[in-house]
Amino acid sequence: MASPMRSLLNDPDRYLQSFRLFLQKSTEHQSMREFMEKQLPDVIASIGNGKSTINVLSIGGGAGEMDLLILSKLQARYPGVTINNDVVEPSADQISKYKERVAQTSNLGNVKFTWHKETAYEFESRMNAEKKSKKWDFIHMIQMLYYVKDVPATIRYFHSLLESQAKLLIILVSANSGWQTLWNKYGSYFPVDDLCSFVTSGDLPRILDSAGLKYQLYELLSHMDITSCFIEGDKDGELLLDFLTETLEFSKTFPPELKHQLMEELKKPGCSEKRDGKVFFNNNLGVIVIEP
């Protein structure tokens, strides 16, 4: 008899393993880098006008790869300005990797880093308890909104911390991605234990419109090679399946008939496309830039 299904987030080590493999197998970071190179300079064009210090808040900064790219663009736009970069990240392992990355990066002399080992909710609760309402010039949330219990409230709170020329940047999976298809059909079977919200860029306009917020939307093309998922017993394939379904040991614990249906769904055009004998999952991303 199959063991009961558990959320992948219950095993932080396996989650990080599967996440790092996902980054290897997908064009996620390449797509984000392209956005940072081409569009971000316009997004940040006026956030630091006339300021000697720019305050940046990274929510879910992970291992810092995207954060450091954002900081390099801010430095290029505002040379010589001091940048206070606060990072909210619940994983000690990710913070450690972030600090290693900073230590290996030159030209960060004018950037002051502060790391907070906590979730977005813990950060908000602490700020409220300490009656702090510091304002920020740039806040970004990259691939983290899935891990908050109340998405509209989280957006409202961090939006309230923006300075008058500031921007709030959110990146998450697109409504036109395979994630949307997968979550629509099988999300109710995944053992997420309230640790995860199935939110995509398609959900945000309704939330933002109802809050009367101004924003811009961008679509980033991205894919992930999931060919190994269809090779029985392949270790990488099993890790990717865990990541796709947020299910710990998916191959061993998911009900067999449902597993078969889901594996077939993964091959269909709503989720993936086949090229050169490989299967590429649609990992498109949505970027939302919110005005103060």
Side-chain angles (χ1 to χ4, degrees), residues 93-257:
D93 183 89
Q94 292 286 75
I95 289 175
S96 174
K97 294 277 190 301
Y98 196 139
K99 289 179 177 177
E100 284 173 24
R101 189 166 262 126
V102 168
Q104 293 159 8
T105 305
S106 56
N107 307 322
L108 290 173
N110 64 325
V111 183
K112 295 175 182 173
F113 290 90
T114 307
W115 286 273
H116 307 276
K117 186 189 171 297
E118 56 194 354
T119 64
Y121 179 73
E122 286 164 349
F123 174 84
E124 179 181 346
S125 301
R126 181 168 60 83
M127 290 297 111
N128 289 335
E130 294 173 6
K131 296 191 166 39
K132 287 185 179 172
S133 56
K134 179 176 177 178
K135 297 285 186 176
W136 303 85
D137 300 298
F138 191 58
I139 301 175
H140 56 88
M141 304 172 164
I142 298 176
Q143 292 289 48
M144 60 68 63
L145 272 183
Y146 323 108
Y147 308 109
V148 303
K149 280 197 164 55
D150 189 332
V151 172
T154 299
I155 292 174
R156 280 196 304 273
Y157 171 71
F158 286 103
H159 179 265
S160 76
L161 304 183
L162 293 178
E163 287 278 20
S164 59
Q165 297 294 315
K167 295 284 196 300
L168 169 58
L169 173 95
I170 295 173
I171 301 181
L172 71 172
V173 296
S174 166
N176 303 313
S177 68
W179 295 101
Q180 174 83 55
T181 305
L182 202 57
W183 290 344
N184 275 352
K185 293 205 172 184
Y186 295 97
S188 60
Y189 300 107
F190 298 157
V192 291
D193 301 338
D194 289 334
L195 292 171
C196 183
S197 306
F198 297 131
V199 58
T200 74
S201 63
D203 298 307
L204 262 58
R206 175 180 47 79
I207 293 168
L208 300 175
D209 290 341
S210 68
L213 301 180
K214 289 193 299 180
Y215 58 91
Q216 288 175 292
L217 284 170
Y218 304 83
E219 182 89 1
L220 310 185
L221 301 180
S222 174
H223 62 258
M224 168 173 50
D225 184 350
I226 59 168
T227 312
S228 59
C229 292
F230 304 97
I231 302 168
E232 195 70 39
D234 187 280
K235 290 282 189 292
D236 281 0
E238 291 189 354
L239 276 172
L240 287 177
L241 284 167
D242 282 15
F243 189 78
L244 282 163
T245 62
E246 290 281 350
T247 303
L248 187 60
E249 302 279 6
F250 166 84
S251 292
K252 295 173 185 165
T253 63
F254 217 70
E257 183 51 37

Side-chain angles (χ1 to χ4, degrees), residues 82-97:
T82 298
I83 299 171
N84 292 321
N85 187 68
D86 279 51
V87 181
V88 175
E89 168 57 52
S91 165
D93 183 89
Q94 292 286 75
I95 289 175
S96 174
K97 294 277 190 301

